[in-house]
Amino acid sequence: MQTQTFHITPSNIDQVQIDQAAALIKAGELVSFPTETVYGLGGNALSSASAEKIYAAKGRPSDNPLILHVANVDEVANYAAEVPDEVYALAKAFWPGPLTVVLKKKDIIPDESTGGLDTVAIRVPDHPIALALIQAAGCPLAAPSANLSGKPSPTTAEHVLEDLNGRIAGVIDGGPTYIGLESTVLDLAHGAPAILRHGGISAEQLKTHLPNLKTSNENAAHSPGTRYRHYSPNANVSLISDFASAELRTWLEEKQAVYIGPQELGNPHIQLSGAEAYAQNIFALLRQLDQRGVQHIAIESIDESGLGRAVMDRLRRAAGLS
């Protein structure tokens, strides 16, 4: 299969190209597109065959549920059997945006799109290309990250093509994403609201609207992206903390490692500081270092408040620690 690339500027949507990409989806094919979080791999969420193609293209286990991307909150009732009042309050605060809600599903959603679960994960992405594509396709788009399963998530179209060129029908190149890690997944289907996956909306932000919020949940299997190894480059990843600069230099030399973090070092290093910078850059850096043939990457841990908790979740998974 030849993968077609569409080049669309987010600030100047080319409707002709959007319609061409949407036609591929209507024909049962897969198209990758940018969101504010990472690039998604989109197919018709109402089609069992399209969902199966997503799993096959990614090499993703079929019991790992997909996220439905819709154009606005009014569409949620088309696919969820129950829509609690919290959904509308959260939508007013956070949609479009990097928040996914898990709800009881309607039968219109095939089991293949939900990993065989009786729940469905839904969000409204905050990206003009994504919203234009959903509207042109005329269906909700099931769209996990557009990478081979287990690899770092893609934040550019080039990353998508590294993994999926020849495996999918199209990719819309809309430039780099601006958050850089996936959405927060919130369970509203099993009693008290609970975070199943930390992401672009922090627990602190959600607690202002959900005072009884739980930050972990025994139903984490209902969340996309929590069951299996994720975000891992070919290189070995180590998380480090509490190293003085001199000790760190010695340790890096012994490991022949590239350092990512806030310290300025004489050894090979990439300076990053703060949760937002980590989130925006870490997946791209892991891919770049793989391309350079780096064998060992040392990443400095950051504070786990706010967005930092989602960043550290990804880093622990990249390091094989969770």
Side-chain angles (χ1 to χ4, degrees):
M1 176 186 296
Q2 182 175 358
T3 300
Q4 182 176 358
T5 301
F6 305 93
H7 296 277
I8 300 177
T9 303
S11 60
N12 185 22
I13 298 296
D14 183 339
Q15 193 61 45
V16 172
Q17 290 196 80
I18 287 289
D19 289 343
Q20 290 172 344
L24 292 174
I25 290 171
K26 291 176 181 178
E29 301 295 344
L30 306 181
V31 175
S32 175
F33 60 92
T35 76
E36 77 281 21
T37 58
V38 299
Y39 271 69
L41 179 56
N44 183 351
L46 306 182
S47 165
S48 299
S50 292
E52 289 171 349
K53 283 187 176 182
I54 290 174
Y55 290 114
K58 284 176 59 69
R60 179 185 178 101
S62 61
D63 62 347
N64 195 351
L66 307 175
I67 292 176
L68 272 63
H69 292 64
V70 299
N72 56 66
V73 67
D74 294 333
E75 294 185 23
V76 173
N78 295 335
Y79 312 115
E82 302 170 10
V83 185
D85 292 341
E86 291 96 329
V87 170
Y88 298 101
L90 292 167
K92 186 175 181 179
F94 301 116
W95 277 357
L99 176 66
T100 295
V101 294
V102 173
L103 305 166
K104 294 294 184 180
K105 80 177 184 76
K106 283 187 173 179
D107 290 341
I108 190 174
I109 305 298
D111 288 345
E112 288 81 2
S113 291
T114 65
L117 300 173
D118 63 353
T119 53
V120 60
I122 305 176
R123 84 178 188 98
V124 179
D126 187 14
H127 198 289
I129 291 175
L131 294 173
L133 183 63
I134 294 165
Q135 291 167 341
C139 62
L141 298 185
S145 56
N147 56 292
L148 289 175
S149 187
K151 294 298 182 183
S153 297
T155 55
T156 68
E158 290 78 13
H159 297 160
V160 176
L161 291 171
E162 284 174 15
D163 284 5
L164 300 180
N165 192 16
R167 300 170 70 95
I168 62 176
V171 56
I172 299 176
D173 185 349
T177 63
Y178 59 84
I179 292 178
L181 53 75
E182 297 81 0
S183 62
T184 301
V185 179
L186 177 68
D187 183 8
L188 295 175
H190 300 93
I195 293 177
L196 304 183
R197 181 181 74 184
H198 292 270
I201 300 296
S202 70
E204 290 86 346
Q205 289 174 290
L206 288 174
K207 282 182 178 178
T208 63
H209 300 271
L210 301 168
N212 60 337
L213 177 71
K214 296 191 292 184
T215 57
S216 62
N217 189 286
E218 64 274 11
N219 293 308
H222 286 77
S223 172
T226 59
R227 294 189 184 186
Y228 300 97
R229 185 172 180 264
H230 282 280
Y231 319 119
S232 298
N234 295 326
N236 294 314
V237 175
S238 296
L239 293 182
I240 60 173
S241 59
D242 301 325
F243 266 104
S245 293
E247 295 173 328
L248 180 56
R249 287 191 184 95
T250 299
W251 187 87
L252 291 171
E253 288 172 359
E254 291 174 352
K255 293 287 187 179
Q256 296 184 322
V258 172
Y259 165 83
I260 299 174
Q263 299 192 51
E264 293 187 22
L265 301 168
N267 298 80
H269 76 281
I270 299 168
Q271 197 166 4
L272 279 185
S273 182
E276 287 190 4
Y278 267 68
Q280 290 168 358
N281 294 285
I282 196 65
F283 288 148
L285 290 173
L286 293 178
R287 285 179 174 269
Q288 290 171 18
L289 293 174
D290 265 354
Q291 289 179 340
R292 286 167 46 185
V294 171
Q295 298 297 307
H296 202 127
I297 303 169
I299 306 177
E300 186 130 353
S301 300
I302 63 172
D303 180 77
E304 295 199 38
S305 60
L307 186 62
R309 184 161 184 175
V311 170
M312 288 303 298
D313 169 76
R314 304 317 190 269
L315 294 182
R316 277 191 286 268
R317 292 176 184 274
L321 299 177
S322 63

